[in-house]
Amino acid sequence: ASIASTDMGLLLRDDVFVDFFNTFLNLPVFGQTPIYISGVGRWYLWPELPSHLDPSPAALLAWLEKHRLPHFCKSSLCLHLVLCQKLLGFIRSGEAAELLSWRSADRWLLEKCISGSHGMRHFRAFVRGTAGEELIDFWLITERLLGLDESDGSQRDLFSSLVHRLRATHLREGSSIVTLCTTIVGSLPKARHVQSVSSRREILSKMQEQALFMIQGYWLLKFFVHCKMGMEEEESCQPLLQEYQERLSQTYWQELPGLSEPLPTMHIKRSQGVSGPYCSQKAKAEIWALLKEGRDTQELKMASFQVKPEKQPGPAGSVEELCLDKDALGSIPQQSEQPANTGFGGKRVTFPGRPQSSAEQDLENLCREKILSDLPPSASHAQLPSLKKPVKTLDFLPWALSAEACAGRPFRDFLQRQNRCMEAHLLDLWHDLEEFLPVVLDSSRENSFFLRHLIGEKICKTYLEEDSIEKLPLETGTLVSLWNHLICGEFSPWIFRAQKEICEVLHSLYEEFLAGDDRTFLQFMAPGSDVPVPEGPGRAAGRAEPFHLSQRMNQSLKLSQALHGTRSLEGTSSKHWQLLAARDLQKGGSIQAEMELLL
């Protein structure tokens, strides 16, 4: 709420906010996807505006404040920003210096390690599989829940869903949260029967404070030690360690910050030689074709994978686990749990022990369509696809919807404003299936067993009950097959079939969403001008550096998915240290560091 009510110009003075906001702005669900380089005060727009226009930074900030910031404040990236700011506040405090006995040089290095969306992903990867993971998950869910008004009908379903999730995972007997907050939790059963909402909120708030205290006082210190040891083994981090050693040897007066440099004048990079209609839909199609071209050129190099029975199935019975290679495209999250370069696309799904039927072969083909690989880093502009085959919105809609989950659900808001209740319900089903997949496919996740049953039952009761199923414009066989597997918390490739059928219903409405986003952007940036916005696919304005643009959006999506929970967090590796060395919050931050490492 405090972020939403703050002036955009003031927010952009905070480099940590800029890093998270840039990651959000480049999610491929949106039409316009700008990036801000705070060190020079420059905005880069994409798609670019026609070159005869002289766009105003003030107009851009007004547009961002009205049409992007509200969605950011509902995103998981914003929750991680709030947590990151609280951790940084603790790191800079006298309490931390006294409690953890560190000097300003230690504070400087830890800030470097944890700042920005990349720093938070690294921190979450470090605590994965520990009690620290549960503490962070609990803090994030509680932060979202306490920000909701359960008396508001539009927020009631989300509030109820988060409460059920907490009870099924973090508030169950034996959880790290219950163990940590035994005294506070003692009042919880009473609170459930108390009419006062403030009582329940007060209890959760106290538990959240306790969880944060443990994260700050214990897990931050362990992360700091982990970072120093990891950096010592990575050659690219040596300049950072050298500066750290120099700061350790400095006297107190030298450690005090000097006068801050004046902020650079904010401006927008002018486009050159760009004319014709402004059309983000066409621009997205070209980027998607580029990503797809990268997938097609690598399919022969990909190893096959299998859907195997879990070795130790839980009480639900046999659970099929999807064993993925590393490096799947960030665009389609759950099914491609690992980082970029290989994945579901181009691989063969087999069901061991029995021949495939024609229906299963169809499902295999859907799986192949669902996940795409990254464009090889060696690709040059001379190798760009010819785009002879037109790309339809339906081709890249799964990519966009995967990003929508991380972006505060702007497409759903559009559907609600259009009174498209059934379509919004379908979109909710798409996202719930998307949320279910990483939980059921990754048994190592915290509370995986409880969550897969919780989400599976929720999907069945919300969408697949007899009175609901007739209202959905999907194949009956698809819905019945979903019920048969999800009610038991089992993986089913029919999930991909259902998502494909949903996309076929929604793709024309997504085109309307993009066209509306374009019109709104032009109303702010070019009021009274005659810049055309084509009703159908037009010619994209500005196709400069399409390879870099495609990778920028893809890196943004992968990073957002990891924090949102629709992509498994990678274990710490040399890549994390290389990204740390490359990351400069004033020069593009996390997604720019990913780009530099990729290139």
Side-chain angles (χ1 to χ4, degrees), residues 322 324 330 332-338 344 370-371 402 405 430-439 441 445 496 499 561 564-568:
L322 194 60
L324 298 180
I332 317 297
Q334 291 86 348
Q335 299 91 319
S336 60
E337 299 295 87
Q338 310 298 332
F344 223 138
K370 196 74 165 68
I371 304 302
S402 298
W430 197 97
H431 283 301
D432 284 344
L433 292 172
E434 197 85 329
E435 182 186 11
F436 176 75
L437 278 167
V439 174
L441 298 179
R445 278 178 175 245
F496 306 138
Q499 288 185 312
Q561 288 170 339
H564 185 67
T566 45
R567 167 181 287 269
S568 288

Side-chain angles (χ1 to χ4, degrees), residues 125-187:
F126 167 70
V127 300
R128 187 170 188 258
T130 69
E133 180 181 17
E134 188 172 355
L135 289 169
I136 292 175
D137 283 342
F138 173 76
W139 191 95
L140 292 167
I141 294 173
T142 306
E143 182 71 11
R144 169 57 54 81
L145 191 149
L146 293 177
L148 296 174
D149 179 5
E150 63 179 300
S151 64
D152 183 344
S154 64
Q155 300 181 31
R156 194 173 297 130
D157 286 346
L158 177 57
F159 183 91
S160 176
S161 175
L162 292 174
V163 168
H164 282 117
R165 189 177 185 121
L166 280 178
R167 288 177 179 171
T169 55
H170 303 301
L171 299 183
R172 62 182 172 81
E173 187 176 353
S175 74
S176 298
I177 301 301
V178 171
T179 304
L180 175 67
C181 306
T182 303
T183 305
I184 302 171
V185 173
S187 351

Side-chain angles (χ1 to χ4, degrees), residues 281 285 288 390-397 511:
Q281 180 188 336
W288 178 253
V391 176
K392 298 179 181 179
T393 305
L394 185 59
D395 296 329
F396 62 81
L397 184 56
E511 291 175 356

Side-chain angles (χ1 to χ4, degrees), residues 287-361:
I287 292 297
W288 178 253
L290 186 62
L291 289 166
K292 189 172 185 297
E293 178 81 0
R295 185 276 305 266
D296 293 342
T297 58
Q298 289 189 56
E299 280 190 341
L300 294 178
K301 301 177 184 178
M302 294 179 181
S304 62
F305 69 94
Q306 293 183 331
V307 178
K308 300 177 181 178
E310 204 173 60
K311 290 181 180 179
Q312 295 179 338
S318 65
V319 178
E320 292 167 309
E321 181 179 4
L322 194 60
C323 303
L324 298 180
D325 269 318
K326 295 208 168 184
D327 294 350
L329 176 69
S331 322
I332 317 297
Q334 291 86 348
Q335 299 91 319
S336 60
E337 299 295 87
Q338 310 298 332
N341 277 348
T342 60
F344 223 138
K347 295 190 178 178
R348 187 168 56 85
V349 181
T350 62
F351 297 81
R354 56 190 173 89
Q356 283 187 300
S357 67
S358 59
E360 287 167 350
Q361 183 64 46

Side-chain angles (χ1 to χ4, degrees), residues 86-99:
K86 288 187 177 294
L87 296 179
L88 289 172
F90 173 78
I91 291 167
R92 296 163 182 164
S93 68
E95 177 190 1
E98 183 178 344
L99 181 66

Side-chain angles (χ1 to χ4, degrees), residues 47-48 276-284 518 532-534 536-541:
E48 294 178 307
Y278 175 89
C279 182
S280 62
Q281 180 188 336
K282 180 62 176 176
K284 267 188 169 39
D518 289 353
V533 179
R539 184 175 180 275

